């Protein structure tokens, strides 16, 4: 791996994660009004470290907080009573942060979507597969830094894919 | 082959499960139920098909595709197509 293609991967620990699925007929704006942000209607990330919603499908989001209270998902469910179902996924997913100037090329080796900065930029998100492993990924900033969420039981395999692929960049 | 998911955008066909002809409608009685469940036309030309975006947004979509050349002329969420 050359310095021009460095990749830095870190496991994000202590996150709060939850799947949010809006009830029939509830518009994204109503979800947003209850949570104090305007969630993306498409595959995108909106929010901050306190609470971010990543679009995973029509009316569905992955909610993420970097500083969860122990009853975080219950608080979220309470705010969304009658609007959406909330299921805690904090133990279900592992989130990897992938940065460095080789990060984009690395992900482009794995996912069949276009990572060119003209079409995939800060706030963009996608639910897809890398090396047959289901992932939800989004771009945090233009450094660029990406976050990749994968089912926790696949985390070891995903990390091995990153390491072998990064070595070939 | 790339399929344009109404939510996710252009994706490789391997992310999808193909079900086939989207034309059959669920009958209101037992009559015609065998045909509805098991019989699908295999059209050479333009048709509307059900595809499931299993490795993406996990939604059923209806894709208009010409089976002779794989040209796609549109896709909508199945829940919207059935309205
Ligand atoms: Zn999709």
């Amino acid at each position: 791996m050359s310095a021009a293609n460095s990749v830095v991967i870190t496991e994000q620990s202590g996150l709060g994660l939850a799947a949010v699925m809006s009830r029939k007929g509830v518009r994204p704006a109503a979800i947003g009004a209850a949570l104090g942000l305007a969630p993306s209607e498409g595959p995108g990330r909106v929010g901050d470290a306190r609470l971010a919603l990543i679009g995973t499908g029509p009316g569905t989001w992955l909610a993420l907080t970097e500083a969860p209270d122990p009853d975080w998902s219950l608080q979220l469910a309470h705010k969304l009573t009658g609007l959406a179902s909330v299921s805690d996924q904090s133990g279900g997913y592992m989130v990897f942060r992938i940065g460095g100037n080789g990060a984009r090329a690395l992900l482009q080796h794995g996912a069949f979507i276009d990572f060119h900065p003209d079409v995939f930029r800060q706030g963009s998100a996608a639910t897809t597969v890398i090396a047959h492993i289901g992932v939800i990924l989004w771009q945090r900033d233009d450094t660029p830094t990406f976050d990749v969420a994968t089912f926790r039981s696949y985390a070891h395999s995903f990390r091995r894919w990153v390491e072998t692929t990064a070595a070939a960049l | 082959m790339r399929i344009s998911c109404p939510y996710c955008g252009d994706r490789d066909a391997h992310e999808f499960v193909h079900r086939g002809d989207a034309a059959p409608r669920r009958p209101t009685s037992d009559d015609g139920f065998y045909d509805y469940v098991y019989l699908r036309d295999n059209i050479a030309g333009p048709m509307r098909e059900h595809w499931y975006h299993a490795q993406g947004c996990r939604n059923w979509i209806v894709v208009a595709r010409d089976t002779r050349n794989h040209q796609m002329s549109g896709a909508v969420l199945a829940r919207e197509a059935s309205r």
Side-chain angles (χ1 to χ4, degrees):
Chain A
M1 184 166 62
S2 70
N5 282 320
S6 70
V7 172
V8 179
I9 179 168
T10 46
E11 291 179 8
Q12 304 298 104
S13 58
L15 301 179
L17 298 159
V20 174
M21 188 174 283
S22 61
R23 303 217 182 271
K24 197 171 185 179
V26 174
R27 302 292 310 152
I31 306 281
L35 299 178
L37 51 75
S40 171
E41 298 205 17
R45 173 190 182 274
V46 171
D48 51 28
R50 184 189 59 84
L51 177 66
L53 290 182
I54 298 122
T56 52
T60 66
W61 296 269
L62 181 70
L64 190 155
T65 181
E66 293 180 14
D69 291 332
D71 63 344
W72 172 75
S73 70
L74 291 175
Q75 290 177 27
L76 189 64
H78 184 69
K79 285 179 191 158
L80 293 173
T81 303
L83 298 173
S85 66
V86 174
S87 61
D88 195 314
Q89 299 288 335
S90 304
Y93 284 95
M94 172 72 88
V95 179
F96 292 100
R97 182 152 299 169
I98 298 175
N101 51 17
R104 186 176 279 124
L106 174 89
L107 292 174
Q108 194 64 82
H109 274 69
F112 295 108
I113 61 171
D114 192 351
F115 284 102
H116 192 281
D118 283 354
V119 291
F120 202 95
R121 51 179 82 92
Q122 182 176 348
S124 296
T127 305
T128 184
V129 274
I130 292 178
H132 302 281
I133 298 167
V135 294
I136 304 167
L137 57 88
W138 57 96
Q139 186 172 335
R140 282 187 63 86
D141 61 44
D142 286 328
T143 313
T145 311
F146 300 89
D147 280 350
V148 181
T150 187
F151 292 120
R152 193 169 286 267
S153 54
Y154 282 98
H156 183 77
S157 303
F158 179 77
R159 192 176 177 119
R160 197 167 59 183
W161 174 84
V162 169
E163 285 165 1
T164 38
T165 307
L169 285 179
Chain B
M1 189 165 76
R2 304 280 281 181
I3 295 171
S4 187
C5 171
Y7 184 85
C8 303
D10 274 357
R11 292 300 179 85
D12 197 88
H14 87 275
E15 292 191 2
F16 296 81
V17 174
H18 180 235
R19 179 162 179 268
D21 192 3
R25 287 284 168 268
R26 185 189 176 92
T28 49
S29 72
D30 285 352
D31 294 338
F33 219 87
Y34 177 91
D35 288 7
Y36 167 69
V37 173
Y38 293 109
L39 298 187
R40 291 283 180 280
D41 282 342
N42 186 17
I43 298 161
M47 68 180 296
R48 294 167 77 248
E49 300 172 302
H50 276 131
W51 291 78
Y52 178 61
H53 197 184
Q55 303 283 7
C57 62
R58 298 173 193 153
N59 276 257
W60 284 96
I61 62 176
V62 176
V63 179
R65 177 173 75 105
D66 190 322
T67 57
R68 294 166 302 185
N69 54 21
H70 299 314
Q71 252 175 22
M72 317 255 173
S73 54
V76 291
L77 295 174
R79 67 175 81 152
E80 285 168 6
S82 67
R83 270 185 202 139

